């Protein structure tokens, strides 16, 4: 049911990311359903490992498999294998495909709205405002439908409370920066470079976790961040060598990455104000954004540009704008759905693979020719991000199985 998947996705199973968002992004395809272990006759089995505090030590491969499937215990891993393999594989394939289609379509549609030669619409703040407005109306509409027809849809009741809106306001400012800088980055850089331009989110996650939360990071995770930074700088160098580098777009990409990380941190602090409902938080964030965007559009002169826009009365234009808002709303739901049917770890791997496919599609669609080093920069960013996800997922699962390992992690090399 709508809403259930997203609530589960934001309540602490394994490793999550924002994404999302944002596309991010928050944000395909090896899926973590491993087969059951080979059954060995009892006479040939090795003696049971010694138990420490009632726990049976697990092999590293078993821990990694549990991280991929999102299982927090051995019993949960066994329960996930009760479904027929073909049914589960089909469900995962459909959900991952839905996530890929929604996310990639949203990026290409936003690029069309923000930087299309045929539209020539230079109002990025208005485009972002309209998408927030559509999301707010959809949330309220689904809430009303859930109240009128309780069995039709599972969605929390949404009533605008000014006190709650004020409590969410600091996060809404970060949220506005996140979605605005994302769209501004996409406006000034090509879709092919978009992922590299926004690739520092993982690095900011590590840095801000240390500065704000005093959380250390393992040496291996830091190595993956080094690979990401190397790929980012190589990508900038190659864009400059090809004459397609936009310094403005790159700066917006870095700011977007920073805001994505801040959004993830402050979301945890604000969730109690909305009863830990991610849909209520989505509603209040977008309502606050709509209010705050209005003076921004006036100050930046976008209302004047909008009134002079040649396609203002075009049904096609408003249909594309509304579709962009629908994609913006849908990406949050399908992200939660993908995490529900796989795991947060697999979702991040899926997002990395999706970013690779999106880059290839953009190069083919816009008929671009890229150098070997340009492709190397993309592989470094995607490979580093994927490696970080695997390292952190394995570390978190290992900590769940053996809490005493936390002391060892704190003394490990890291920042």
């Amino acid at each position: 049911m709508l809403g259930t998947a997203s609530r589960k996705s934001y309540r602490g199973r394994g490793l999550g990311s924002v994404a999302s968002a944002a596309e991010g992004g928050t944000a395909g395809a090896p899926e973590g359903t491993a087969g059951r272990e080979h059954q060995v006759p009892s006479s040939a089995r090795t003696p049971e490992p010694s138990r420490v505090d009632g726990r049976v030590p697990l092999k590293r491969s078993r821990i990694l498999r549990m991280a991929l499937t999102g299982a927090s215990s051995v019993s949960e891993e066994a329960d996930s294998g009760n479904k027929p393999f073909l049914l589960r594989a089909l469900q995962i394939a459909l959900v991952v495909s839905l996530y890929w289609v929604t996310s990639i379509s949203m990026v290409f549609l936003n690029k069309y709205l923000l930087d299309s030669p045929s539209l020539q619409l230079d109002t990025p703040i208005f485009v972002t405002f309209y998408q927030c407005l559509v999301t707010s109306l959809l949330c309220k509409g689904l809430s009303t439908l859930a109240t009128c027809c309780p069995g039709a849809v599972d969605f929390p009741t949404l009533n605008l409370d000014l006190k709650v809106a004020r409590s969410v306001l600091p996060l809404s400012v970060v949220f506005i920066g996140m979605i605005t800088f994302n769209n501004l980055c996409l406006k000034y850089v090509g879709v092919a470079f978009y992922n590299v331009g926004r690739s520092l989110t993982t690095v900011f996650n590590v840095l801000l976790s240390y500065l704000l939360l005093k959380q250390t990071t393992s040496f291996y995770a830091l190595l993956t961040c080094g690979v990401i930074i190397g790929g980012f700088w190589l990508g900038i160098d190659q864009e400059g060598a090809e004459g397609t580098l936009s310094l403005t777009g790159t700066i917006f990409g870095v700011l977007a990455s920073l805001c994505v990380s801040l959004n993830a941190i402050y979301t945890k602090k604000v969730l109690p104000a909305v009863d830990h409902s991610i849909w209520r938080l989505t509603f209040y964030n977008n309502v606050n954004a709509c209010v705050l965007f209005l003076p921004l559009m006036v100050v930046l002169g976008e209302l004047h540009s909008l009134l002079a826009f040649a396609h203002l009365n075009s049904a096609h234009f408003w249909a594309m704008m509304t579709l962009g808002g629908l994609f913006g709303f849908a990406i949050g739901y399908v992200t939660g759905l993908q995490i529900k049917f796989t795991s947060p770890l697999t979702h991040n791997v899926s997002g990395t693979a999706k970013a690779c496919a999106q880059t290839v599609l953009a190069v083919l669609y816009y008929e671009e020719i890229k150098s070997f080093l340009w492709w190397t920069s993309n592989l470094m960013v995607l490979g580093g991000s994927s490696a970080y996800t695997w390292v952190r997922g394995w570390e978190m699962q290992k900590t769940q199985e053996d809490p005493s390992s936390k002391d060892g992690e704190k003394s490990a090399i890291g920042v």
Side-chain angles (χ1 to χ4, degrees):
M1 300 294 285
L2 182 58
T4 304
S6 286
R7 284 202 300 274
K8 289 184 179 180
S9 68
Y10 286 91
R11 289 190 182 181
R13 230 178 45 145
L15 178 67
S17 66
V18 180
S20 302
E23 202 350 64
T26 48
E31 51 100 354
T33 52
R36 296 180 180 177
E37 294 185 3
H38 178 64
Q39 299 297 317
V40 182
S42 57
S43 60
R45 291 176 186 166
T46 56
E48 185 179 2
S50 59
R51 296 174 181 265
V52 179
D53 296 332
R55 294 184 178 88
V56 178
L58 298 177
K59 293 181 179 180
R60 184 174 298 181
S61 60
R62 186 81 174 273
I63 294 173
L64 184 56
R65 186 161 63 249
M66 290 170 63
L68 282 171
T69 57
S72 58
S73 65
V74 177
S75 59
E76 188 175 339
E77 183 198 18
D79 291 340
S80 67
N82 290 336
K83 288 184 180 180
F85 174 78
L86 289 178
L87 175 60
R88 180 167 173 77
L90 180 61
Q91 287 178 331
I92 291 175
L94 290 175
V95 169
V96 169
S97 298
L98 181 62
Y99 169 76
W100 279 42
V101 170
T102 302
S103 180
I104 294 176
S105 299
M106 182 178 68
V107 171
F108 277 89
L109 179 57
N110 280 344
K111 182 63 177 177
Y112 168 76
L113 293 171
L114 294 165
D115 192 38
S116 172
S118 60
L119 278 183
Q120 295 183 341
L121 177 63
D122 189 22
T123 57
I125 303 299
F126 171 73
V127 172
T128 311
F129 160 80
Y130 188 82
Q131 292 177 347
C132 290
L133 179 63
V134 170
T135 299
S136 301
L137 294 176
L138 283 172
C139 286
K140 186 60 179 177
L142 288 172
S143 174
T144 303
L145 179 62
T147 303
C148 298
C149 308
V153 62
D154 181 14
F155 206 85
T157 302
L158 299 177
N159 295 311
L160 187 61
D161 186 330
L162 294 181
K163 184 178 180 180
V164 176
R166 285 195 299 270
S167 299
V168 178
L169 186 60
L171 174 63
S172 297
V173 173
V174 177
F175 172 76
I176 288 172
M178 179 180 70
I179 58 178
T180 301
F181 290 137
N182 265 328
N183 279 349
L184 287 172
C185 175
L186 186 57
K187 175 179 174 64
Y188 289 102
V189 306
V191 176
F193 186 68
Y194 181 55
N195 288 307
V196 175
R198 295 163 52 254
S199 62
L200 297 183
T201 299
T202 299
V203 178
F204 281 122
N205 282 341
V206 171
L207 183 61
L208 293 177
S209 293
Y210 177 71
L211 294 177
L212 301 179
L213 306 177
K214 303 304 178 183
Q215 294 179 354
T216 58
T217 302
S218 70
F219 177 71
Y220 292 111
L222 290 178
L223 283 180
T224 64
C225 291
V227 175
I228 295 173
I229 295 174
F232 175 77
W233 284 112
L234 181 59
I236 291 178
D237 176 74
Q238 291 304 299
E239 284 284 305
E242 296 179 4
T244 56
L245 176 65
S246 169
L247 183 59
T248 301
T250 303
I251 293 174
F252 283 137
V254 173
L255 292 174
S257 300
L258 175 61
C259 288
V260 169
S261 298
L262 288 172
N263 185 77
I265 292 174
Y266 286 108
T267 292
K268 297 178 182 179
K269 297 183 178 181
V270 173
L271 274 175
V274 291
D275 299 325
H276 293 276
S277 170
I278 197 64
W279 285 120
R280 286 196 180 96
L281 182 59
T282 299
F283 175 70
Y284 279 104
N285 260 340
N286 283 276
V287 169
N288 284 342
C290 288
V291 174
L292 295 176
F293 274 137
L294 290 174
L296 276 178
M297 288 189 291
V298 174
V299 171
L300 297 176
E302 288 200 2
L303 291 181
H304 177 73
S305 300
L306 187 63
L307 292 175
F309 180 52
H311 303 281
L312 187 61
N313 297 323
S314 169
H316 176 265
F317 165 71
W318 288 108
M320 292 296 101
M321 288 284 289
T322 304
L323 184 60
L326 289 173
F327 277 131
F329 175 84
I331 192 64
Y333 175 68
V334 297
T335 296
L337 202 62
Q338 180 170 245
I339 294 174
K340 175 187 175 183
F341 280 92
T342 59
S343 72
L345 174 61
T346 307
H347 164 68
N348 285 342
V349 176
S350 169
T352 302
K354 186 274 303 180
C356 182
Q358 180 177 292
T359 300
V360 174
L361 285 174
V363 170
L364 294 175
Y365 180 78
Y366 293 107
E367 298 180 346
E368 299 173 343
I369 299 176
K370 300 297 184 181
S371 66
F372 173 78
L373 287 179
W374 187 93
W375 286 107
T376 301
S377 70
N378 277 264
L379 290 177
M380 289 177 66
V381 166
L382 297 174
S385 300
S386 181
Y388 177 85
T389 299
W390 281 75
V391 168
R392 294 295 294 155
W394 180 79
E395 289 175 349
M396 292 174 68
Q397 195 67 42
K398 183 179 178 181
T399 300
Q400 288 179 357
E401 293 302 321
D402 185 10
S404 62
S405 65
K406 285 185 177 181
D407 297 333
E409 288 181 4
K410 289 181 179 179
S411 63
I413 300 176
V415 298

